[in-house]
Amino acid sequence: MHDDLIARARTWLAEDPDTETRDELAKLIDAGDVTELSARFSGPLQFGTAGLRGELGAGPMRMNRGVVIRAAAGLAAYLKKNGTPHGDGTAGLVVIGYDARHKSADFARDTAAVMTGAGLRAAVLPRPLPTPVLAFAIRHLGAVAGVEVTASHNPPRDNGYKVYLGDGSQIVPPADAGIAAEIDAIVSLNDVPRPEAGWEILDDSVLDAYLARTDAVLAVGSPRTARTVYTAMHGVGRDVLLAAFARAGFPEPVLVAEQADPDPDFPTVAFPNPEEPGAMDLAFARARATDPDLIIANDPDADRCAVAVKDGGDWRMLRGDEVGALLAAHLVRRGVSGTFAESIVSSSLLGRIAGKAGLPYEETLTGFKWIARVDGLRYGYEEALGYCVDPEGVRDKDGITAALLITELASGLKEEGRTLLDLLDDLAVEHGLHATDQLSVRVQDLSVIADAMSRLREQPPTGLAGLAITRAEDLTRGTETLPPTDGLRYTLDGARVIVRPSGTEPKLKCYLEVVVPVAARADLPAARARATELLAAVKRDLSAAAGI
């Protein structure tokens, strides 16, 4: 076993094109570090519907240039087998974007080289830019596929590789399996042509077109008065968001200076995710000093949008479900038509808003790869701060256009002497108080997640928080409207719970919702107290049932 491991490591080392990971691996081999080598060579990093995502480092179980070159070659082979050449005989175009993380520019350049070597055309965005700009560029340029090099809001040590097809949406089955099979078929990096040149570096015309498209998000003549504090969370959102806000005529956002510049080490936050404890502290401090109407935050690749508001004497983050409902109510008020859609882990309030407005509504599996494919989509969201407010422009979540739309809504309410919280109260009285929470467990050992799922399947709970479970569904079997996925859904009298492993992080995620009827605004405090009590009890009982 030891000799075989060392032999595999030496074979990998001989092909590694990166001096940094080559030196790293050579030291592990020389030290005979079997534990570390085993972790890196226990198998290839799996390519799936989220593409690739993992820790940077040497070896097939890490993100590195060798892994990326194989992924790009597999994607190129898949595209060539699936009819990418255009009718005029020209090769299909693959457009490539990247964020400001460690190695992102290298991975983008490698991808362009591989595509060019495979006989496809490749075009790389001019610099680190938000993921939604890449998603826009695919359709704008008529590309057959797109690649975004990003690990979104993962820790600094990670990077990732997200693949889109020509419709501008992220891949779904069976494309993921088809690409993975082509990756597995690559024997050696020496078999992958990688010319030194031949691809295009795009200019700012693509970004200009994206910004021009943002005009479609806002209503003509709408109020544009809300003042914002903005944080880019050390990512790539700042310049594009400032340009979009200036174009729209909003007051220039006040920046959280410590987090404004791209920085792959994310020095001010433990996790560069607005949902994580402490991540918004600097933004709250800036807001206390400047008293804006709302706080806007993007995650590092700016496809997510977080919103915070003043609640009493201080600031608090709105939950993704709250922002999702606010944007839906705003679009309904503007008289839009088309389908409203959300993932199954998001609040059922969206269905009630759409139903009352007479609009079609659909639930999908988790992820915008599913939401973006809903027929006739006009608006889609999921609770993890992802909002698609202009599907004709970007068929993915977009933290820039979502920021524009929520700021337009806040501006209109400001003109009426009201706030986002007032509109949330209106929705609670109209549809019932929909309160959501999450039980999320980050693990070092993935078997903890598998054990919890097995325990729930083998000994399913019959009730939570004193509420009887009226329906229990194992989503691995699929439903009439959903394809199979690894998850469990429990329907209770006035509550709903979904349990699933995260697709992008080592987490078990449990999504909780309770619905409390509200007769009048005066009943809201009691309804909130009841909802808080129920959510705490559901969380406690579910934790016990899952053994977490």
Side-chain angles (χ1 to χ4, degrees), residues 34 138 180 195 216 236 284 331 531:
V34 174
I138 294 165
V236 297
F284 291 160
L331 290 171

Side-chain angles (χ1 to χ4, degrees), residues 139-224:
R139 300 178 71 209
H140 178 69
L141 297 173
V144 297
V147 171
E148 177 70 18
V149 180
T150 181
S152 190
H153 56 267
N154 276 38
R157 64 179 181 272
D158 290 359
N159 213 327
Y161 199 81
K162 186 183 292 187
V163 176
Y164 298 74
L165 293 181
D167 62 357
S169 300
Q170 297 174 49
I171 55 169
V172 295
D176 58 338
I179 297 168
E182 297 293 346
I183 295 171
D184 291 343
I186 295 159
V187 177
S188 168
L189 288 191
N190 298 326
D191 300 333
V192 181
R194 303 196 304 279
E196 293 293 323
W199 57 90
E200 180 183 2
I201 304 295
L202 296 166
D203 61 21
D204 275 357
S205 60
V206 170
L207 177 58
D208 293 341
Y210 169 83
L211 289 168
R213 177 67 206 183
T214 63
D215 295 347
V217 173
L218 305 176
V220 176
S222 62
R224 312 280 169 94

Side-chain angles (χ1 to χ4, degrees), residues 137-497:
I138 294 165
R139 300 178 71 209
H140 178 69
L141 297 173
V144 297
V147 171
E148 177 70 18
V149 180
T150 181
S152 190
H153 56 267
N154 276 38
R157 64 179 181 272
D158 290 359
N159 213 327
Y161 199 81
K162 186 183 292 187
V163 176
Y164 298 74
L165 293 181
D167 62 357
S169 300
Q170 297 174 49
I171 55 169
V172 295
D176 58 338
I179 297 168
E182 297 293 346
I183 295 171
D184 291 343
I186 295 159
V187 177
S188 168
L189 288 191
N190 298 326
D191 300 333
V192 181
R194 303 196 304 279
E196 293 293 323
W199 57 90
E200 180 183 2
I201 304 295
L202 296 166
D203 61 21
D204 275 357
S205 60
V206 170
L207 177 58
D208 293 341
Y210 169 83
L211 289 168
R213 177 67 206 183
T214 63
D215 295 347
V217 173
L218 305 176
V220 176
S222 62
R224 312 280 169 94
T225 57
R227 295 178 302 107
T228 56
V229 159
Y230 171 71
T231 176
M233 206 65 70
H234 299 295
V236 297
R238 178 193 61 198
D239 293 348
V240 178
L241 182 130
L242 290 179
F245 270 55
R247 183 184 183 92
F250 287 116
E252 183 177 355
V254 174
L255 298 179
V256 178
E258 302 93 329
Q259 299 174 334
D261 294 327
D263 189 330
D265 293 320
F266 307 106
T268 69
V269 291
F271 286 91
N273 178 354
E275 292 180 294
E276 292 285 345
M280 293 289 287
D281 287 355
L282 288 171
F284 291 160
R286 197 80 182 98
R288 292 182 195 112
T290 58
D291 196 32
D293 296 301
L294 71 165
I295 299 171
I296 299 288
N298 287 138
D299 67 338
D301 69 326
D303 63 351
R304 289 174 170 83
C305 176
V307 180
V309 296
K310 198 167 189 178
D311 188 0
D314 207 355
W315 290 81
R316 78 166 175 93
M317 273 270 291
L318 294 179
R319 301 189 69 85
D321 285 317
E322 292 176 308
V323 177
L326 287 168
L327 292 175
H330 182 45
L331 290 171
V332 165
R333 188 174 179 181
R334 277 180 30 185
V336 304
S337 59
T339 301
F340 281 23
E342 64 180 339
S343 60
I344 57 172
V345 299
S346 305
S347 172
S348 59
L349 177 56
L350 183 68
R352 302 219 181 165
I353 292 171
K356 184 155 188 182
L359 295 173
Y361 163 77
E362 283 195 34
E363 278 188 321
T364 74
L365 293 183
T366 308
F368 266 84
K369 56 185 174 284
W370 299 108
I371 294 171
R373 286 180 160 73
V374 168
D375 287 341
L377 180 68
R378 177 56 185 86
Y379 168 65
Y381 98 92
E382 65 179 3
E383 53 74 44
L385 309 183
Y387 313 95
C388 177
V389 302
D390 178 28
E392 289 304 306
V394 175
R395 287 191 184 173
D396 198 6
K397 53 187 178 292
D398 183 346
I400 305 296
T401 51
L404 288 171
L405 193 62
I406 197 72
T407 308
E408 178 186 59
L409 172 57
S411 297
L413 291 167
K414 184 179 181 179
E415 299 293 301
E416 300 169 7
R418 284 159 44 82
T419 67
L420 296 174
L421 292 180
D422 292 323
L423 180 52
L424 284 172
D425 288 348
D426 292 348
L427 293 173
V429 173
E430 187 173 2
H431 302 288
L433 177 65
H434 289 62
T436 58
D437 200 357
Q438 194 177 124
L439 172 62
S440 183
V441 181
R442 185 181 292 272
V443 302
Q444 294 293 326
D445 181 359
L446 290 177
S447 69
V448 174
I449 295 175
D451 290 346
M453 295 298 289
S454 295
R455 179 169 172 163
L456 288 171
R457 287 188 170 107
E458 292 163 10
Q459 304 170 51
T462 56
L464 298 168
L467 304 174
I469 292 176
T470 57
R471 187 177 185 190
E473 298 167 276
D474 187 340
L475 299 177
T476 54
R477 303 186 181 101
T479 72
E480 289 182 4
T481 57
L482 299 171
T485 188
D486 186 8
L488 300 164
R489 178 163 60 180
Y490 304 114
T491 304
L492 302 91
D493 185 15
R496 183 221 62 200
V497 172

Side-chain angles (χ1 to χ4, degrees), residues 9 111 128 335:
T111 300

Side-chain angles (χ1 to χ4, degrees), residues 25-214:
L25 185 55
K27 288 176 183 176
L28 293 174
I29 293 171
D30 291 343
D33 191 337
V34 174
T35 301
E36 191 62 33
L37 288 171
S38 295
R40 293 160 184 261
F41 285 84
S42 58
L45 200 60
Q46 289 299 309
F47 185 93
T49 54
L52 295 168
R53 197 176 291 190
E55 186 175 347
L56 290 163
M61 277 294 285
R62 298 287 186 266
M63 282 296 296
N64 52 64
R65 291 183 60 200
V67 165
V68 165
I69 290 166
R70 282 178 168 80
L75 174 60
Y78 175 85
L79 293 172
K80 292 178 75 174
K81 282 185 179 178
N82 286 272
T84 61
H86 292 173
D88 60 4
T90 60
L93 172 68
V94 178
V95 61
I96 302 151
Y98 59 103
D99 66 9
R101 284 178 176 267
H102 293 295
K103 298 289 185 182
S104 287
D106 294 339
F107 295 167
R109 187 170 54 250
D110 283 331
T111 300
V114 170
M115 295 301 162
T116 303
L120 296 164
R121 291 183 297 136
V124 183
L125 293 183
R127 57 187 173 279
L129 286 167
T131 293
V133 177
L134 180 276
F136 168 83
I138 294 165
R139 300 178 71 209
H140 178 69
L141 297 173
V144 297
V147 171
E148 177 70 18
V149 180
T150 181
S152 190
H153 56 267
N154 276 38
R157 64 179 181 272
D158 290 359
N159 213 327
Y161 199 81
K162 186 183 292 187
V163 176
Y164 298 74
L165 293 181
D167 62 357
S169 300
Q170 297 174 49
I171 55 169
V172 295
D176 58 338
I179 297 168
E182 297 293 346
I183 295 171
D184 291 343
I186 295 159
V187 177
S188 168
L189 288 191
N190 298 326
D191 300 333
V192 181
R194 303 196 304 279
E196 293 293 323
W199 57 90
E200 180 183 2
I201 304 295
L202 296 166
D203 61 21
D204 275 357
S205 60
V206 170
L207 177 58
D208 293 341
Y210 169 83
L211 289 168
R213 177 67 206 183
T214 63

